[in-house]
Structure formats: structure tokens, C-alpha cells
Amino acid sequence: MACALGAAALTVAACSVGGAEAPHPARSARPATSPSHPPPHTAPPTLAPGPAGLTRVFASAERQERRTVALTFDADMTADQGARAASGEHFDNPRLIAALRALRVPATVFMTGRWAEQYPAQAKDIGGDPLFEVANHSYSHHAFTGDCYGLPSVPAGRMRADVERAFAAFRAAGVRHVVPYFRFPGGCYDRAALRALAPAGVTAVQWDVVSGDAFATDARAVERQVLDGVRPGSVVVMHCTRSAAPTTERVVRAVVPALRAKGYRFVRVSELLGADRKA
């Protein structure tokens, strides 16, 4: 199963400045509470393995009647992008994180372990903010299937270790609010991958709304795609990197008030999944 992000899986990276940690533009002005009222971080809900012991996949809260929506942002730095970051390429979007804080929007950041190693202070900062939760997007952003937009692939026997290595990188960086959710690089998975990840105890989280922000230059087109696609219980996939998704901050600043005007409330994936289980 693949996503509509296409080649974006190859280069989309993360939420900080390439090569060095950036000062956080909104750290001192962080709001104490959110109009979306995110609940305190508690033990996150998960889905038990399905038939044949396969890892379960959550893409949206289909039974959700309340107008809730989860914005998710992939911080997918690949294992070979360190040199590019060191040379000055900006795999970051600090203004996006500042916008989420200014708008008081809870969100889930799917982070690679390689990114947490490159930008440990930023990873810790995001994971320490009660608005956000950090989920696993693999260690190196290699594919978990054999054919996924040209990404190098992880052998089935190493898939669990790759996921656990990312969690270890989060711990080393001091990241708090880590949830046991996993997003497949490129959105690609098959039964073999779901079987390999079952011992890791994670719930796979996909999406039902592709924002189209990767490599987009027309912010209005991305806005329309999000607004046209969101339904109660939706999970929206977006990205937080200036180099590969330069319009995302503008998109967020437009769609958040538009969705709130329609009665939507923003939640983290953990809250959306928990509400879906209770429905």
C-alpha cells in the first residue's frame, strides 16, 4: 500500500535548521493553554494485533461523529542527508512549529531517529511541549517494502530493530511525550512488514487526507485539497521542511481558522484513536 506523496518520500525532512540547532522563534511566547484543550498526556491507546498477529493500521476515526481532526507532520530525515544539512540545506520549518503554537493547535509529529540525532535540542523541545506528541517514522526513512518510490529498503529481519533504534534515538535526545505509533516511510507497507513489526508493539498510523504540500508552490491549491478532504475523524498528512514543503506554514495558517469556522476541533492522533475505540 502506497501513498500519494510520490517522490516526496525521498527528500522530505524535518523541523529544524540544517547543520545546526536554530533558536526557537516562539519559545518565549508559547501559550499556556489551547482552545482545542488537548488533554494531559496519559498512556496512549493502541490497537491490539489483528488476525494472524499483524500490526493494526489506523487511518482515520471512521466512527467519529464529532468534528475532530488530527494534523500530522512528518519529520523524515534520511540516513544520508547529514552532509546536505551540514552544507546548509534547510531541512527545517521553525516558523511552522511557531505557527502551530501561536494558533494553539495540537499535532502529532512523526519523526525519524536520524533526525532526532541530528537535531536533539529541537526534538526535545517539540517532545516537551504539551501541544505535541512524537511518534516513530523509522530510524533512517528506508522503505519497509521492496518498491516504494525508489527508497532503499529495510530487510524484513531488520524492520523491528530499525523502529526500536528510532525510539532509542528519541530517548537519547530526551524526547518526552513519545507515543507507540509508527508511520511507514512513503506510506508503503505489506503483510510482511505488518508481521515484522508486531513484536514492537506499535500501531501503524496512516491518513485519509493527503495535503499535497510536498514540493508544492501553490499554497491555495494545498489549502483546497485539505479543506475538501477533511471529514470528522480525519488524519491529515503534512510535512515540516522548508526545502521540500515550503508552503506548509501558509497552508496551516489558512486551514486552521477555516476548519474551526466549520466547527472542527484539533486533536492529537492519540486522542482521535482513543475516541474511535470508545465509539
Side-chain angles (χ1 to χ4, degrees):
M1 184 177 182
C3 72
L5 297 179
L10 291 174
T11 60
V12 174
C15 309
S16 187
V17 174
E21 296 292 344
H24 206 292
R27 186 65 176 176
S28 62
R30 179 187 297 174
T33 59
S34 165
S36 295
H37 299 300
H41 286 274
T42 57
T46 57
L47 299 177
L54 301 182
T55 298
R56 295 277 294 278
V57 179
F58 177 78
S60 66
E62 297 179 356
R63 296 173 293 177
Q64 182 68 260
E65 295 181 358
R66 294 184 300 167
R67 293 199 168 196
T68 54
V69 58
L71 298 186
T72 68
F73 298 88
D74 288 357
D76 29 324
M77 185 173 187
T78 63
D80 62 351
Q81 288 177 331
R84 289 166 58 184
S87 68
E89 185 170 352
H90 291 290
F91 296 122
D92 77 319
N93 197 335
R95 290 185 178 274
L96 171 62
I97 300 301
L100 292 169
R101 283 170 166 152
L103 293 166
R104 302 179 183 180
V105 177
T108 303
V109 178
F110 285 85
M111 187 182 294
T112 66
R114 181 65 187 85
W115 187 88
E117 289 179 345
Q118 184 79 23
Y119 308 113
Q122 289 290 335
K124 182 178 180 180
D125 179 59
I126 292 170
D129 189 327
L131 274 180
F132 307 132
E133 62 189 8
V134 174
N136 195 312
H137 195 30
S138 81
Y139 174 77
S140 59
H141 203 258
H142 288 179
F144 281 56
T145 62
D147 183 13
C148 184
Y149 308 115
L151 286 171
S153 59
V154 179
R158 293 174 51 191
M159 290 179 181
R160 177 184 178 184
D162 185 270
V163 172
E164 292 177 343
R165 187 178 179 186
F167 281 130
F170 300 161
R171 291 192 296 272
V175 180
R176 300 174 58 204
H177 304 153
V178 177
V179 290
Y181 305 147
F182 176 76
R183 175 165 285 169
F184 288 97
C188 306
Y189 67 91
D190 54 21
R191 286 180 63 86
L194 295 177
R195 185 177 301 110
L197 289 191
V202 295
T203 294
V205 175
Q206 297 290 92
W207 54 81
D208 67 320
V209 179
V210 177
S211 69
D213 66 336
F215 302 108
T217 57
D218 185 347
R220 289 187 179 275
V222 179
E223 294 165 20
R224 289 194 297 271
Q225 187 152 319
V226 173
L227 294 175
D228 289 346
V230 166
R231 301 290 183 272
S234 279
V235 176
V236 182
V237 60
M238 305 181 83
H239 299 85
C240 47
T241 172
R242 283 183 285 171
S243 61
T247 67
T248 308
E249 181 207 344
R250 283 177 286 164
V251 171
V252 165
R253 290 189 179 277
V255 301
V256 165
L259 287 172
R260 280 177 171 157
K262 293 181 179 182
Y264 278 93
R265 183 171 66 90
F266 295 93
V267 298
R268 299 180 298 254
V269 167
S270 57
E271 184 179 347
L272 193 65
L273 195 156
D276 189 55
R277 288 179 57 188
K278 295 176 183 177

